[in-house]
Structure formats: C-alpha cells, structure tokens
Amino acid sequence: MPVSYARRHGLKPLGAGIGLRREFYARLPETSRALDWVEIIPENFLTLGGRSQRALDACVERWPALPHGVALNIGGPEPLDEDYLSRLKALVERVDAPFFSDHLCYSRLRGAYLHDLLPLPFSEEAVEHVVPRVREVKERVGRPFLLENPSYYARMPGGTLDEAAFLRHVAEEADCGLLLDVNNVYVNAQNHGYDPRAFVDALPLERVVQIHLAGHEQQPDVLIDTHGAPVCDEVWSLYRYVLERTGPVSTLMEWDQDIPSLEAVLDEADRARAVLAEIELARAVVR
C-alpha cells in the first residue's frame, strides 16, 4: 500500500472534534468535557474582531484548530480569489493549522457567491481544470490541503467517470489529501443507487486525513444532507467500515442546523472517539 498522505506530511490523527459555531462561542472554550480539536469555517474568521476573535483565541489556546472552507470555489470557471487566498493563508498561519480543507465543487459564478456547494461533472475535463487550481492553493497557503466529497442531488451533464474515479484522479494528480464525509457517501449512495462500501473501496484511502460525520433528513424520495440531526446507525456502521481500512482518522462531528446543546454535540463526539479507540486497540492487537 502506498505511504499515506498523512505520514508523508507528518500529520497525526487528532481524535474527535466539533465545530466552533456561534452558538458555542461562550460555552465551548470553558467546557470540561473531553474534546480533541475544533473545526472553524474560515469565512467566519477572515475578518477578526470582537466576540468571534475572542472565542477563536480561547479555543486555540486549548485545542488544534482546522479551517474548513466553503468559498474557495476550487471547481469554478473564474480565477481563484487572490484576496480570499491571502486572508486564508494568514488565518491558517495564525491558528497554526496542521492542514486545511474545502469542498470539491463550485460555489461562485460570474462574481456572485451562490451560497451552495454545487457538484462538478465527473469528467476528465473537470479533472484537468481542478488539478492546477489545487496545486496553486497548496503553494499559496503552504500547508497540506484536503478536498471533501460533497453531497449532490443531480448529476452534472458531461460526466464520463464515476464519482469515486473522479475523486481519485483529482487527489492523485493534484497530490492532495481527502476529507471523507461519510454521511455524504451514504446520502449520495442512497439517492443515486450505488453501494456505499464499494464506493469507499474504490477511493485512494491512503489519502484520507479527516472524516466528517453528520445527520441528514429522510424525505419520501430523497435524503437531504442537513447536518441537523444525530448520526444514523447506517452512517455509524459505514464510519467503522472506513476506519477498519484507514486506521484512526481525525473525525469531526458536524452539526450546522437545528443545533442542539453543546452537551448533545459533545456526546456524539464521544461516540466517535470510542469507535476510534476500538479501532486503534484492534490494530494494536493484530500488530
């Protein structure tokens, strides 16, 4: 098996984390509960000041912070935003993030942000478009960079590859890591009729550096990736399936809508941490 992306870059699993969301600015920095790291949405912190800065500073004193962006627009047709990249680099350095991430999608068109993460066509042409942009981002920011597999509800026209092959080509040709959103894998598999475990097996798992877990909404004929509910049993099972192949990977409990109490989110992170410990123990016994 190839040397993992994490090992090549000296990245170690961080354990289980949660997102620093506005609802938690006051209480999270003071919690006595177990927590291994926090994720920040950089767009909320690129212009620092006031309550946001105080919350971020307090968290960075206690835990590693990993920026996970939504506005990079890595797959868009326009040139990368120079100002955004400069401010992202400054934030990554300020929190001394070991790596950072964004989504393999497009989110801006004709200068307007779409406030959504829209899928790319799974094609060789899209790979050729995205790869140099990923290389540019890595060079500009100067830290290891991960791309996340997004959820999607329609296949973009022009696709010639399956989704897993598309992810593999981009990650390998751009030499970046993967942020594997296990809930997205499950949601996409149910909505588009494929086996989520076969999808996982087709990925370059040696490039998985981080995992997202989240909840979704069941509607009559579709699953919606809401990040607004507890993780379902099927996604927990798929998470374990991934870890049995990758070993322990830094895992985020992602909750962005209908956000419950801090304790409820930390309870979900505790469950992920327990699975990580079980996988680590099982691998130690085998060794």
Side-chain angles (χ1 to χ4, degrees), residues 31-52:
T31 185
S32 60
R33 295 278 301 271
L35 183 64
D36 302 316
W37 58 279
V38 295
E39 181 183 88
I40 61 173
I41 298 173
E43 290 76 10
N44 293 336
F45 299 96
L46 292 178
T47 303
L48 285 172
R51 184 166 172 252
S52 296

Side-chain angles (χ1 to χ4, degrees), residues 193-222:
Y194 60 77
D195 179 351
R197 285 169 171 74
F199 176 88
V200 167
D201 291 342
L203 295 175
L205 294 176
E206 71 279 1
R207 292 186 176 273
V208 175
V209 178
Q210 185 182 340
I211 286 174
H212 274 180
L213 293 172
H216 56 259
E217 178 182 325
Q218 174 74 64
Q219 295 193 0
D221 57 354
V222 68

Side-chain angles (χ1 to χ4, degrees), residues 1-284:
M1 184 173 181
V3 176
S4 72
Y5 184 86
R7 180 172 295 182
R8 282 198 285 121
H9 291 277
L11 304 174
K12 296 181 179 179
L14 298 177
I18 70 170
L20 175 57
R21 305 301 186 245
R22 289 184 176 88
E23 291 80 357
F24 302 150
Y25 279 2
R27 293 200 57 213
L28 180 56
E30 300 176 354
T31 185
S32 60
R33 295 278 301 271
L35 183 64
D36 302 316
W37 58 279
V38 295
E39 181 183 88
I40 61 173
I41 298 173
E43 290 76 10
N44 293 336
F45 299 96
L46 292 178
T47 303
L48 285 172
R51 184 166 172 252
S52 296
Q53 180 169 337
R54 291 193 297 272
L56 177 59
D57 289 345
C59 287
V60 169
E61 287 181 3
R62 296 190 62 183
W63 306 290
L66 299 179
H68 176 59
V70 296
L72 181 60
N73 193 36
I74 197 69
E78 302 167 333
L80 293 166
D81 187 323
E82 294 287 332
D83 178 63
Y84 177 85
L85 281 176
S86 295
R87 290 190 291 154
L88 176 62
K89 175 180 174 64
L91 178 64
V92 168
E93 292 177 348
R94 186 175 187 274
V95 302
D96 194 22
F99 55 88
F100 69 106
S101 61
D102 207 294
H103 302 78
L104 182 53
C105 69
Y106 73 98
S107 56
R108 184 177 179 182
L109 193 61
R110 296 181 179 176
Y113 283 103
L114 305 172
H115 303 290
D116 207 343
L117 305 172
L118 299 177
L120 298 169
F122 303 144
S123 67
E124 291 87 348
E125 291 81 1
V127 173
E128 292 173 1
H129 173 67
V130 168
V131 164
R133 292 164 69 87
V134 174
R135 292 173 179 163
E136 180 180 351
V137 169
K138 290 195 304 175
E139 183 176 355
R140 289 287 302 276
V141 178
R143 303 283 170 109
F145 177 46
L146 318 182
L147 283 173
E148 177 182 344
N149 56 302
S151 57
Y152 60 97
Y153 304 97
R155 296 179 185 272
M156 292 296 103
T160 54
L161 303 168
D162 62 43
E163 183 187 354
F166 178 68
L167 285 167
R168 175 183 290 276
H169 283 312
V170 170
E172 291 181 345
E173 294 180 31
D175 193 20
C176 66
L178 290 178
L179 192 171
L180 183 61
D181 190 311
V182 175
N183 182 64
N184 287 355
V185 172
Y186 180 77
V187 166
N188 291 343
Q190 297 304 306
N191 288 341
H192 299 287
Y194 60 77
D195 179 351
R197 285 169 171 74
F199 176 88
V200 167
D201 291 342
L203 295 175
L205 294 176
E206 71 279 1
R207 292 186 176 273
V208 175
V209 178
Q210 185 182 340
I211 286 174
H212 274 180
L213 293 172
H216 56 259
E217 178 182 325
Q218 174 74 64
Q219 295 193 0
D221 57 354
V222 68
L223 299 186
I224 304 295
D225 176 34
T226 60
H227 301 175
V231 179
C232 71
D233 290 343
E234 292 83 359
V235 171
W236 281 116
S237 177
L238 185 60
Y239 174 56
R240 186 181 293 274
Y241 183 87
V242 172
L243 292 182
E244 287 170 350
R245 285 145 184 80
T246 62
V249 174
S250 302
T251 299
L252 180 85
M253 183 55 56
E254 194 172 28
W255 209 314
D256 297 311
Q257 295 186 37
D258 299 323
I259 297 177
S261 68
L262 175 61
E263 286 69 25
V265 180
L266 288 170
D267 286 346
E268 291 281 273
D270 285 347
R271 184 171 178 181
R273 187 180 299 104
V275 176
L276 289 167
E278 290 175 21
I279 294 297
E280 179 61 31
L281 179 59
R283 291 170 69 89

